[in-house]
Amino acid sequence: MEFDVLQDLWRDLGGKAGAKFERRLLDGLGADHVRSNMTRLELGLWLELIASLGVCFLTGGYLFENFGTLRYAIPGLALHGAVLTMVVLSARQLYAVSRVDYSEPVVVIQRRLAELRVSRVRSEGAMLIAAPLLWTPLAIVGAHGVFGLDLYAAFGAPWIVVNFGLGVAVLLLAIWLSRRYGERARESALARRVADGLAGRSLVEAQRLFTDVDEFAAEA
Amino acid sequence: MNADTRELESVEPLADEASYRAFEEHMAAHRGIVFKLANAYAPTSEEREDLAQEIYLQLWRSFPRYDRERRFSTWMYRIALNVAISVSRRAATRFRHTVPLAPGTEVAETDDDLDPRLEALQAFIQRLGELDRALVLLHLEGHGNREIASVLGITASNVSTKLSRIRGRMRTELTAAEQYEGGT
């Protein structure tokens, strides 16, 4: 089949239907339901940043007040550190989103978007791993900061140690289950996403985008 | 530009009538391109509609920053392809988290009575990777290697080498499809 023939056929593709389709899109530009996915991502990141900044002030205040008391300062510091990391990650991603100018060459933008995706997957993975480990410090700080309760006095140090150990066990079990059975979790998109995040499949996928772009850009 | 500003732009993009007219004229001169790109990057009519809308929205938002000294087509293709590839990749990730497409999912929507050669060409294009697809689409639209290189951000010699490989593969696959069609 001659390429010139295909090219001519291609140029005629769409015809009137294509013109009508595009006219409708042009007319619809003013509709308020039109939202871009990038805007949604940006909004999500702004919300994440504002929420984590709010929590950061709370944990920072708690840490300042209890800095001299080691049993409260340590869980407070763990929480504050985790929230501070979230603030930094959200801010970095927002900066990366602001640098995306779609009128730049395809390879440049796709590489930048792949970078953004890797960073997003990494921060989601870090949150998934941190959650079961942080719930014990959260319980100690929350009970003390909000209700004035001392969980060390109420349940004793062994309770704290056992709960932390339980968090580690839950995390290890979740990673094992995600690696072994995660591919089967088709019925729930969220379950699949969590499983892929814990098993590291999301990161592999995100890094593959980088590889694709680099291979394409490399001189053949 | 922050998220709030972008939201406002999407609600009231027609505030500047002259700018809208200029945009409309440019788009009229390149009519059909967004339609073809949407066909090449989105497998279902719903996704196609969403993708085309996303491309138009991004073009309109970026239009105030368009440098009139440069070729409109290069600027437009960069934006349209960047959006199409990103949306296509996002959909592929989402799809991985949901259910697989059923066999026989529609390939593309065009005018009725589509030429079988064009149908085979579209199927071939959809089998290519997202970046190779961009290369072929630009080539089919008749752009030279230097312009394709400028849109994609690779060298003209790289464009030439890749195109020659893809054209070879295209010839083989389309001829095989033609022979198969002829034999059945």
Side-chain angles (χ1 to χ4, degrees):
Chain A
M1 205 180 295
E2 284 306 314
F3 186 77
D4 294 346
V5 178
L6 288 174
Q7 206 166 28
D8 288 342
L9 286 168
W10 178 258
R11 284 192 185 135
D12 295 336
L13 179 69
K16 282 181 191 164
K20 217 167 117 186
F21 178 77
E22 289 192 17
R23 182 68 249 177
R24 193 157 44 83
L25 291 171
L26 202 58
D27 292 340
L29 277 177
D32 61 0
H33 66 272
V34 177
R35 293 284 186 277
S36 112
N37 280 308
M38 189 52 95
T39 308
R40 278 198 286 269
L41 172 64
E42 250 185 301
L43 278 175
L45 285 169
W46 273 112
L47 284 176
E48 210 173 279
L49 182 65
I50 291 165
S52 46
L53 268 174
V55 180
C56 195
F57 277 115
L58 291 175
T59 52
Y62 179 85
L63 192 62
F64 182 74
E65 279 175 20
N66 296 280
F67 207 74
T69 321
L70 210 58
R71 59 190 189 154
Y72 293 129
I74 291 172
L77 195 67
L79 276 186
H80 191 59
V83 178
L84 211 59
T85 308
M86 271 182 70
V87 170
V88 172
L89 291 174
S90 304
R92 270 184 59 183
Q93 285 170 34
L94 265 171
Y95 173 69
V97 169
S98 73
R99 280 174 66 221
V100 175
D101 173 3
Y102 279 109
S103 66
E104 285 187 57
V106 172
V107 160
V108 174
I109 292 304
Q110 293 310 314
R111 196 174 274 141
R112 207 164 282 163
L113 290 173
E115 200 178 286
L116 186 62
R117 175 93 194 120
V118 168
S119 150
R120 187 108 194 107
V121 166
R122 277 197 178 132
S123 58
E124 279 178 7
M127 273 193 267
L128 286 172
I129 289 171
L133 301 177
L134 284 174
W135 88 269
T136 309
L138 181 68
I140 295 168
V141 169
H144 181 242
V146 180
F147 304 108
L149 291 173
D150 181 356
L151 290 189
Y152 291 99
F155 300 110
W159 181 87
I160 310 283
V161 174
V162 167
N163 271 282
F164 187 75
L166 207 65
V168 175
V170 165
L171 175 66
L172 294 175
L173 182 69
I175 293 174
W176 181 76
L177 286 172
S178 301
R179 288 197 174 155
R180 196 164 171 91
Y181 302 108
E183 294 275 10
R184 296 184 200 172
R186 284 184 185 278
E187 57 287 338
S188 163
L190 182 67
R192 181 74 189 260
R193 190 170 169 167
V194 169
D196 283 352
L198 280 171
R201 282 188 291 271
S202 300
L203 188 60
V204 171
E205 177 85 9
Q207 280 166 337
R208 193 185 54 79
L209 300 180
F210 257 134
T211 318
D212 282 355
V213 178
D214 284 343
E215 277 176 8
F216 181 79
E219 291 286 334
Chain B
M1 188 188 295
N2 63 30
D4 295 336
T5 321
R6 288 195 184 179
E7 284 293 295
L8 279 175
E9 277 182 7
S10 68
V11 176
E12 296 179 42
L14 309 183
D16 183 352
E17 200 59 33
S19 177
Y20 178 71
R21 292 285 157 237
F23 179 69
E24 194 181 23
E25 275 173 31
H26 279 299
M27 291 311 291
H30 298 87
R31 186 154 288 157
I33 287 170
V34 173
F35 178 76
K36 287 184 215 176
L37 284 183
N39 266 296
Y41 282 94
T44 68
S45 56
E46 199 186 329
E47 285 173 278
R48 205 150 40 234
E49 180 95 19
D50 287 349
L51 173 58
Q53 197 177 59
E54 181 89 17
I55 293 173
Y56 255 78
L57 187 63
Q58 198 61 53
L59 285 167
W60 170 240
R61 280 178 179 165
S62 306
F63 191 62
R65 293 189 301 276
Y66 163 58
D67 178 1
R68 266 74 175 165
E69 301 295 310
R70 296 181 173 223
R71 287 184 72 168
F72 182 80
S73 62
T74 305
W75 176 85
M76 189 194 86
Y77 271 112
R78 279 181 177 180
I79 293 178
L81 285 168
N82 271 318
V83 173
I85 294 169
S86 316
V87 170
S88 168
R89 289 186 156 184
R90 204 161 44 224
T93 311
R94 202 170 50 231
F95 154 67
R96 217 167 51 80
H97 289 134
T98 52
V99 286
L101 274 177
T105 300
E106 53 179 321
V107 171
E109 182 183 66
T110 54
D111 290 340
D112 292 335
D113 303 324
L114 190 68
D115 188 305
R117 291 170 299 178
L118 199 47
E119 212 169 336
L121 175 64
Q122 281 192 316
F124 171 79
I125 290 171
Q126 293 220 338
R127 285 196 296 274
L128 294 171
E130 287 115 346
L131 293 163
D132 281 342
R133 215 178 300 175
L135 187 76
V136 170
L137 292 176
L138 289 164
H139 185 52
L140 282 166
E141 286 295 332
H143 298 285
N145 289 1
R146 281 177 68 178
E147 191 178 2
I148 296 176
S150 163
V151 171
L152 298 178
I154 57 178
T155 62
S157 65
N158 200 358
V159 169
S160 169
T161 314
K162 283 184 194 303
L163 273 178
S164 127
R165 278 187 198 157
I166 294 173
R167 280 180 69 157
R169 194 181 140 192
M170 189 191 288
R171 198 173 301 117
T172 313
E173 289 189 25
L174 296 191
T175 308
E178 214 170 27
Q179 282 167 353
Y180 177 77
E181 287 289 322
T184 53

